[in-house]
Amino acid sequence: MNAKQIRAAIVGSTGYGGVELIRLLESHPNVTVTSVISSSSAGAPIADGYPHLTEIRADLLDDLDIESIRGKADVVFLATPHGVSLKLAPQFLDAGLKVIDLSGDFRLKSGDAYRQWYKHEPADQALVDRAVYGLSEVYGDLVKQTDFVSNPGCFTTTSLLGLYPAVKAGWIDPNSIIIDAKSGVSGAGRGLNLSAHYSEINENFKAYKLNKHQHTPEIEQVLSEAAGRPVVTTFTTHLVPMTRGIMSTMYGTLTEKRTDAEFVELYRQFYEGRKFVRVRPAGHWPATKEVYGTNYCDIGFSVDERTGRVTIISVTDNLVKGAAGQAIQNLNLLMNWDETLGLQFTPVYP
């Protein structure tokens, strides 16, 4: 294990993903956060915007200056909106820094797909090809060999960890997959948004971005690789009146008769040694509260012999395993450290 102490900068420190990185890295024994950056709030104490950091972080927010950051960081986390990271990542890489990007700018390998789903011009294809897709439990060996990680989306992580082993093993027809996913309101970010206002979301439950969510091609890209052929899914997202958490309820047609116990064994073997995926025993299904504040993904199954389908339940905390926690897990892999370093939190319950 490489025990080298490294310095980290966080670009986009005033968003929920950025401030969650700050919280988690406070507990990391090998990382010191040396720069928290926000162009819109440069010069202000970070605790002004986030009073929970009072007497924990006394930083004044830095402006975005590549050379300045180069002098005091070894790795940069980009917790920026889509369309911003694709401009910043090459500058930081050219400056010799490792980059972990939490936006969607480098997740899709097809420029046409990025243009269609994100409504931006894509990054240079050579840079897109250079980025390693950081679904830690699937591509961890590739992450160890790179200096540039594209962190997966929150819905994507939750759904793929629940589907990948079954699709890879050929146990379900990949083109029969339906993903019914629900997220807490923090997934919408901290910016002003009518749909996230208290009076709009309280005692309410609604679907959004039907057949247009940008995580759709990301999910299909990975499942296509797992299946060895193109995969198309139905992916529907919902907003629920809670702060954190994602539940993906997924349905797929079995290719042959299977039992709950067989699914449990398949997944336990696939994720053996990967401590952040917890596979529930047959007859037990996870809830979002059971992973709250942690980097865990919990998965459960129910085979329906009557319909020949399986229901897979997968839950994560969207700000941790779905964003900042997985980014730190990828940093650990990239640095050849134990991937659980700085992430061994017990879920907050109740």
Side-chain angles (χ1 to χ4, degrees), residues 101-326:
D101 177 32
L102 280 73
S103 84
D105 284 347
F106 298 95
R107 295 172 186 163
L108 301 182
K109 296 304 182 183
S110 164
D112 288 340
Y114 179 86
R115 193 178 290 109
Q116 175 187 349
W117 291 88
Y118 283 89
K119 312 304 180 188
H120 291 289
E121 284 302 304
D124 180 80
Q125 189 62 45
L127 197 61
V128 172
D129 293 340
R130 177 177 173 181
V132 171
Y133 186 69
L135 187 65
S136 305
E137 281 75 16
V138 176
Y139 300 110
D141 288 342
L142 294 176
V143 172
K144 292 177 181 179
Q145 302 169 33
T146 190
D147 59 358
F148 183 23
V149 177
S150 176
N151 217 53
C154 52
F155 279 122
T156 312
T157 295
T158 312
S159 302
L160 286 176
L161 290 177
L163 288 168
Y164 193 94
V167 172
K168 184 75 172 176
W171 284 21
I172 57 177
D173 176 0
N175 284 323
S176 72
I177 293 170
I178 297 173
I179 304 169
D180 181 11
K182 296 98 174 171
S183 174
V185 186
S186 61
R190 206 186 195 200
L192 295 177
N193 185 332
L194 180 61
S195 66
H197 283 194
Y198 179 81
S199 57
E200 298 284 338
I201 189 61
N202 183 49
E203 298 182 7
N204 199 7
F205 182 21
K206 56 187 176 182
Y208 69 101
K209 290 188 178 180
L210 269 71
N211 301 317
K212 294 181 179 179
H213 200 286
Q214 67 272 16
H215 290 177
T216 303
E218 190 180 339
I219 292 169
E220 293 176 350
Q221 175 177 271
V222 176
L223 291 183
S224 295
E225 188 229 72
R229 60 185 173 90
V231 172
V232 177
T233 64
T234 296
F235 175 55
T236 304
T237 54
H238 304 78
L239 199 60
V240 298
M242 63 184 186
T243 302
R244 291 172 180 250
I246 286 180
M247 174 180 284
S248 288
T249 304
M250 296 162 287
Y251 310 92
T253 300
L254 298 170
T255 55
E256 60 181 88
K257 188 174 181 180
R258 299 288 178 184
T259 65
D260 292 355
E262 287 176 316
F263 267 91
V264 170
E265 183 60 23
L266 172 70
Y267 277 62
R268 286 183 172 170
Q269 288 184 14
F270 188 90
Y271 291 121
E272 185 177 5
R274 311 313 295 265
K275 297 180 181 178
F276 290 124
V277 175
R278 303 188 298 186
V279 180
R280 296 296 175 86
H284 296 264
W285 307 285
T288 59
K289 181 71 80 171
E290 294 156 3
V291 297
Y292 198 95
T294 74
N295 203 50
Y296 289 115
C297 176
D298 287 7
I299 304 171
F301 314 91
S302 180
V303 170
D304 187 345
E305 294 182 1
R306 185 179 63 87
T307 61
R309 297 176 68 85
V310 62
T311 302
I312 303 172
I313 308 290
S314 179
V315 299
T316 64
D317 183 315
N318 57 290
L319 292 178
V320 189
K321 184 60 171 169
Q326 184 157 227

Side-chain angles (χ1 to χ4, degrees), residues 83-97:
V84 176
S85 291
L86 60 81
K87 300 173 184 175
L88 296 179
Q91 297 180 66
F92 284 117
L93 290 166
D94 288 345
L97 302 178

